[in-house]
Amino acid sequence: EIKMNYDYVPGIVEFIADLRRHGVKIALVTSSNTAKMENVYHAHPEFKSLFDEILTAERFKRSKPDPECFLLGMTIFGSDSKDSYVFEDSFHGLQAGRSSGAIVVGLATTNSRSHCRQGRLCNRRFQRDDLRKTADYNFTLYLIRKIE
């Protein structure tokens, strides 16, 4: 895993920067453990600075499809599900997002568009025009990127 490429999804860094300019709190919630995430941090030293909070597997007892990880993020940010978005590319993550009550955006990054349609929206890229309304609301974004 240390030799793997951890490429960003096209447009994600700009999307996160735009959200941060608008005061949006951003958490990364991952089923990966801290040791696995260290490989990502090594490949992208700036990675941690993109997020207000990084929740790894050690911080919750039940993994996706259980919504515990997302509910923990909402608790940390003092938000509730109606003000929260989950961006997810995995089947279990989509299930967990829906179960948490958040608005779920399915990502067609590692799976087909038909797979990600379990989310409310389905996008292949992070472009401001594609997700324009996200920066217009004061919501908490839970950005999920499955790292394997």
Side-chain angles (χ1 to χ4, degrees), residues 27-70:
L28 177 106
V29 180
T30 180
S31 297
S32 296
N33 61 28
T34 301
K36 194 174 205 179
M37 290 302 295
E38 288 298 328
N39 296 319
V40 177
Y41 306 148
H42 178 73
H44 297 282
E46 76 291 350
F47 190 81
K48 287 182 182 181
S49 69
L50 298 173
F51 306 97
D52 297 293
E53 196 73 41
I54 296 178
L55 304 176
T56 57
E58 295 90 350
R59 296 192 58 189
F60 40 90
K61 294 177 184 170
R62 293 176 301 278
S63 192
K64 304 166 193 171
D66 190 284
E68 178 188 358
C69 55
F70 297 123

Side-chain angles (χ1 to χ4, degrees), residues 53-141:
E53 196 73 41
I54 296 178
L55 304 176
T56 57
E58 295 90 350
R59 296 192 58 189
F60 40 90
K61 294 177 184 170
R62 293 176 301 278
S63 192
K64 304 166 193 171
D66 190 284
E68 178 188 358
C69 55
F70 297 123
L71 296 172
L72 174 61
M74 291 176 208
T75 298
I76 289 170
F77 285 160
S79 64
D80 58 39
S81 60
K82 70 178 175 40
D83 297 321
S84 300
Y85 283 63
V86 169
F87 286 68
E88 181 61 72
D89 68 342
S90 74
F91 179 71
H92 285 138
L94 291 165
Q95 284 181 298
R98 282 193 319 273
S99 295
S100 76
I103 298 166
V104 178
V105 178
L107 302 176
T109 54
T110 58
N111 294 293
S112 68
R113 290 181 68 80
S114 61
H115 170 84
C116 84
R117 288 197 190 283
Q118 295 177 60
R120 186 166 167 188
L121 304 168
C122 183
N123 287 285
R124 286 186 182 271
R125 58 191 179 171
F126 287 88
Q127 302 290 325
R128 183 160 168 80
D129 291 340
D130 293 341
L131 300 164
R132 181 179 305 274
K133 73 176 186 174
T134 58
D136 297 333
Y137 293 97
N138 184 19
F139 65 83
T140 304
L141 166 70

Side-chain angles (χ1 to χ4, degrees), residues 13-29:
V13 174
E14 296 81 5
F15 180 69
I16 289 172
D18 190 43
L19 292 173
R20 291 183 76 91
R21 277 192 300 275
H22 288 85
V24 176
K25 293 180 182 179
I26 304 172
L28 177 106
V29 180

